[in-house]
């Protein structure tokens, strides 16, 4: 029987290489269910190559567990594609076999692991503070390559979240020692800690004095100062509670950089100060809204003139307008149907952008035309007997040829009368 894997990361979360004996190597009968959790240098996509599950006597690889992604790294310089734990046994997936009984040298990717330690320790501080201040429990945790989310079973206001964020960063400045130890069940009975469930045997307790005591299996930083910064970047209502996103340490720095670059670019484009760029965007939106109104008014006048210019004896109309606001489109079609007894079709747009269309008639059913557009030119649209509207990505030439096939004469934009 294979014994439980010794978790070397429990004793020293800062060790990056280790030696171990191969206890078992089995060819996987299933491909990996999802891409590897951590980017591995030189690791290739699983492209039908056989994969192997390796069990070692001990490991530094933290498996995917408790909402946290698995460590990446290598065994004898071969990439580890995934790390999973089941019943205390950790399996490392590789694309080459290792002989049982042989020795391997393992190496974990330190940068993503350390980032995970920063995120996870930050999560404990936030969860501990939320629990102590507001009594809500952390009921869900996800630590992915990009996102860290915490779910709470209660709702926090923006002010409360800001308060938690400030207190969490104070905890970083105090540079408090973080400890992790397996405590026997006797001691656990009297201890108040988060994630308390009845477990047989000792439970690993992670303590941040004054902030959090929690049952947890993951590696953490030694001191809160190493977290660097904790930033709450998003908060949404979720399952009757709240889902908040956080960024700590290196990820917070990266996030800050990205946001500063974006905001700097926006403020340069708007010639505004960084700190008042949202006001400038607001003004731009208002201006844009006013300009749209002016365009609508001008286009309406233009369309009235164009409708007047349509010959009084035109039986049917097939008109193209490169630029036309959708509000004007409808007005134009209404003007045309009042003047022309047949079918009035107006296509707005261009061959490259595609067309929005409205087809109306005061005395004919326009739906068969719409059906043809859908069938022959993959248009999308619908409507009533009197008016249909939709869009299509056909060319003007294709549309002409479709209307030519209707056995009706259309007065067309290009003045060409069939
Ligand atoms: Zn934890």
């Amino acid at each position: 029987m294979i014994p439980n894997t010794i978790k070397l990361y429990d004793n020293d979360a800062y060790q990056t290489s280790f030696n171990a004996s191969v206890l078992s190597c089995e060819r996987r009968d299933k491909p990996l269910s999802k891409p590897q959790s951590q980017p591995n240098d030189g690791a290739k996509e699983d492209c039908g190559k056989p994969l192997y599950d390796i069990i070692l006597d001990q490991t530094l690889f933290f498996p995917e567990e408790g909402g946290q992604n698995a460590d990446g790294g290598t065994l004898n310089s071969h990439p580890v594609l995934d790390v999973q734990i089941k019943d205390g046994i950790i399996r490392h997936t590789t694309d080459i076999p290792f002989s049982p009984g042989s020795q391997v040298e393992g190496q974990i990717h330190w940068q993503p692991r350390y980032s995970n330690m920063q995120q996870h320790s930050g999560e404990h501080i936030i969860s501990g503070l939320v629990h102590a201040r507001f009594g809500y429990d952390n009921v869900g945790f996800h630590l992915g390559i990009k996102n860290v989310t915490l779910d709470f079973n209660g709702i926090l206001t923006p002010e409360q979240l800001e308060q938690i964020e400030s207190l969490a960063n104070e905890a970083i400045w105090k540079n408090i020692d973080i400890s992790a130890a397996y405590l026997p069940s006797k001691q656990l009975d009297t201890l108040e800690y988060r994630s308390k469930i009845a477990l047989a045997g000792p439970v690993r307790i992670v303590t941040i004095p004054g902030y959090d005591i929690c049952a947890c299996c993951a590696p953490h930083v030694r001191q809160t100062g190493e977290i660097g910064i904790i930033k709450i970047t998003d908060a949404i209502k979720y399952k009757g509670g709240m889902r908040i996103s956080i960024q700590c340490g290196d990820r917070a720095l990266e996030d800050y950089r990205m946001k500063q670059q974006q905001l700097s670019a926006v403020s340069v484009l708007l010639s505004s100060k960084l700190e008042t760029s949202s006001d400038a965007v607001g003004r731009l939106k208002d201006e844009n809204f006013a300009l749209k109104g002016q365009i609508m008014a001008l286009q309406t006048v233009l369309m009235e003139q164009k409708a007047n210019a349509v010959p009084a004896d035109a039986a049917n109309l097939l008109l193209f307008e490169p630029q036309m606001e959708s509000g004007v489109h409808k007005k134009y079609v209404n003007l045309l149907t009042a003047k022309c007894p047949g079918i009035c079709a107006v296509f707005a747009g261009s061959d490259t952008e595609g067309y929005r269309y409205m087809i109306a008639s005061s005395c004919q059913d326009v739906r068969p035309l719409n059906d043809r557009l859908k069938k022959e030119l993959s248009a999308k649209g619908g409507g009533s007997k009197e008016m249909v509207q939709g869009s299509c990505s056909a060319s003007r030439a294709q549309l002409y040829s479709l209307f030519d096939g209707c056995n009706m004469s259309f007065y067309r934009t290009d003045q060409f009368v069939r």
Side-chain angles (χ1 to χ4, degrees), residues 120 123-124 216 220:
H120 201 131
E123 179 269 319
H124 276 230
C216 179
H220 290 266

Side-chain angles (χ1 to χ4, degrees), residues 198-337:
L199 286 170
V203 172
R204 189 168 182 266
I205 298 292
V206 173
T207 307
I208 307 175
Y211 288 90
D212 190 41
I213 306 173
C214 183
C216 179
C217 54
H220 290 266
V221 292
R222 284 189 194 112
Q223 285 160 322
T224 56
E226 290 183 62
I227 300 166
I229 182 170
I230 300 176
K231 187 77 193 80
I232 295 175
T233 52
D234 197 20
I236 53 165
K237 296 213 169 101
Y238 182 74
K239 289 187 177 173
M242 202 101 208
R243 167 166 284 184
I244 72 165
S245 300
I246 61 167
Q247 305 266 15
C248 303
D250 68 331
R251 296 193 190 185
L253 178 63
E254 210 175 295
D255 188 55
Y256 195 151
R257 267 190 200 134
M258 179 275 288
K259 284 173 180 161
Q260 181 152 26
Q261 278 166 4
Q262 287 295 316
L263 202 54
S264 299
V266 168
S267 74
V268 167
L269 285 169
L270 297 173
S271 307
S272 69
K273 285 185 183 163
L274 208 72
E275 56 270 34
T276 55
S277 46
S278 71
D279 296 341
V281 171
R283 281 197 298 278
L284 197 69
K285 264 191 97 174
D286 291 346
E287 274 173 35
N288 196 39
F289 185 76
L291 284 170
K292 273 199 165 173
Q294 287 178 26
I295 290 171
M296 286 261 292
L298 290 169
Q299 283 192 350
T300 304
V301 172
L302 185 64
M303 293 313 143
E304 281 165 2
Q305 289 174 355
K306 285 196 173 187
N308 281 335
V310 168
D313 58 350
N316 304 289
L317 302 170
L318 172 56
L319 306 177
F320 285 84
E321 288 295 333
Q323 280 167 339
M324 187 160 53
E325 294 287 319
S326 47
V328 180
H329 199 160
K330 181 115 189 250
K331 282 185 194 169
Y332 189 37
V333 172
N334 286 341
L335 283 172
L336 294 170
T337 43

Side-chain angles (χ1 to χ4, degrees), residues 366-379:
V366 292
R367 286 172 301 185
L369 248 176
N370 190 52
D371 291 342
R372 287 196 59 188
L373 280 163
K374 282 160 79 171
K375 197 176 160 212
E376 293 172 36
L377 298 175
S378 307

